[in-house]
Every structure is written in structure tokens, then in C-alpha cells.
Amino acid sequence: MKKQSTSMFFICLSSIILISSCGSVSKESENRIRVSGEGKIRIMPDQVTLTINTTFTKPRMVDAVRETQATVDTVIALLQKYGHQKEDIKTSSVSANKDYQYIGNTNKFIGYQAQQTIDFVLHDLSKFTELTGKLLETKISGIGSISFDHSKADSILREADLIAYDDALKSAKKLASRADVKRKTAISVQ
């Protein structure tokens, strides 16, 4: 029986909040307390974004474009087996250029280059190793970047903001108590 290894990746989302409060409105600049708070939340990612690059250089532009597009079509067909939503697959760039190589102190024209880049969001992390292996079996140039994330990162970051605010407020109360001053409401939150 083959034992499957699992890797754990954590995302740490954090916020820092600065609170200014004052003890006296008339002497606001003199009696101001500034504190900061920190809020951190560690979560397991539930998705990964891969940036897949396909580049070919050929003597004729039409051949470079044709081979690039054929490879992209193969990759998209493969990705559709792993993606559940149409939004999971996006072409992020397309380019066609002359390609030069620096040889013997001069730039030598070597052909025409066609390139496409696809961004793909994989929601089932258990398929990550399988997918990357299958991608590397195609004619792609490479996987440019791999970025682990969480589908609810925005709401988790807002929760981290609230934790940071609570932490800053706790510090402000403690400092005001130690300084034997009355803490007023916050005059700014950053």
C-alpha cells in the first residue's frame, strides 16, 4: 500500500490598527494616546492559483502562434477536468514578438515568438500534485508561479481587522488607566 504524504500550508492574515484617543478635547494634541493593535488569523488554504506559461519560437510567426495555441488548447482541456467553474481558467496574457539571441557581441534574429499565459484556480488541493505532473507532461514552458490562498480571505481579513481593533482598544484602556486619565472615544482609526 502506497502511503500518501501531505504538506500543510498556512496562510497568516493580519492587520494592524492604530487608535488615537484623547483625554481632553481642548488640549487634544497634548493629551493624545496612540496605540496599535495586531490581529492574526492562521488558516489552511483551500485553493491554489497556478500561472502556466506557453512560449514557442519558430522561423515563421504563423508556426509559432499555431504551436502555442495547440498547446494552450491541450492545457485548457486538461484544466477543465480539474476546474468546476468557467472563471477558474483565464488567459492573462498573449504576445507575439521577434526573438533575438545575443551571440558573439551582437543580437541575432532567431525567429518569431508567440506566448500565452493562463491563470488557473484549483479548488481541490488534494489534486495539486497530480495536476502539476500532468501539466509538466504537456509542451508548456513552465509553471510561472504557484500561489496558495483561501476563498474567503476577504472576510477573514475583516475578522483580523476586528481582532486588531480589540487589541488596540485594550492597550488604550490599559495606558489610560496607568496614566490616570479618562479615555475618551477614538478620534481616528487607521
Side-chain angles (χ1 to χ4, degrees), residues 24-80:
S24 170
V25 177
S26 61
K27 294 184 177 184
E28 184 178 305
S29 61
E30 293 175 19
N31 296 327
R32 186 177 293 172
I33 296 172
R34 288 189 178 188
V35 294
S36 63
E38 185 175 21
K40 286 186 180 181
I41 298 176
R42 285 178 49 117
I43 55 170
M44 287 288 292
D46 67 354
Q47 64 186 28
V48 61
T49 302
L50 297 105
T51 301
I52 303 151
N53 302 315
T54 303
T55 305
F56 288 98
T57 300
K58 299 287 180 183
R60 296 182 334 143
M61 178 59 79
V62 68
D63 295 331
V65 169
R66 196 174 287 140
E67 183 143 11
T68 299
Q69 191 58 53
T71 302
V72 165
D73 292 344
T74 301
V75 168
I76 288 174
L78 175 65
L79 295 176
Q80 286 173 338

Side-chain angles (χ1 to χ4, degrees), residues 85-151:
Q85 302 171 10
K86 208 169 193 175
E87 304 85 47
D88 292 341
I89 303 170
K90 291 183 182 161
T91 299
S92 58
S93 73
V94 176
S95 67
N97 300 294
K98 291 181 178 179
D99 197 7
Y100 294 89
Q101 202 172 40
Y102 193 72
I103 301 171
N105 295 332
T106 60
N107 278 327
K108 182 180 177 194
F109 175 74
I110 59 169
Y112 295 93
Q113 183 183 79
Q115 177 180 357
Q116 283 195 46
T117 303
I118 300 167
D119 291 332
F120 175 68
V121 180
L122 177 67
H123 297 281
D124 183 356
L125 293 182
S126 68
K127 305 253 187 218
F128 173 69
T129 303
E130 177 185 323
L131 174 60
T132 54
K134 288 187 184 244
L135 283 169
L136 293 172
E137 289 173 3
T138 68
K139 292 181 171 184
I140 65 168
S141 304
I143 300 171
S145 69
I146 298 171
S147 174
F148 289 90
D149 199 3
H150 197 281
S151 58

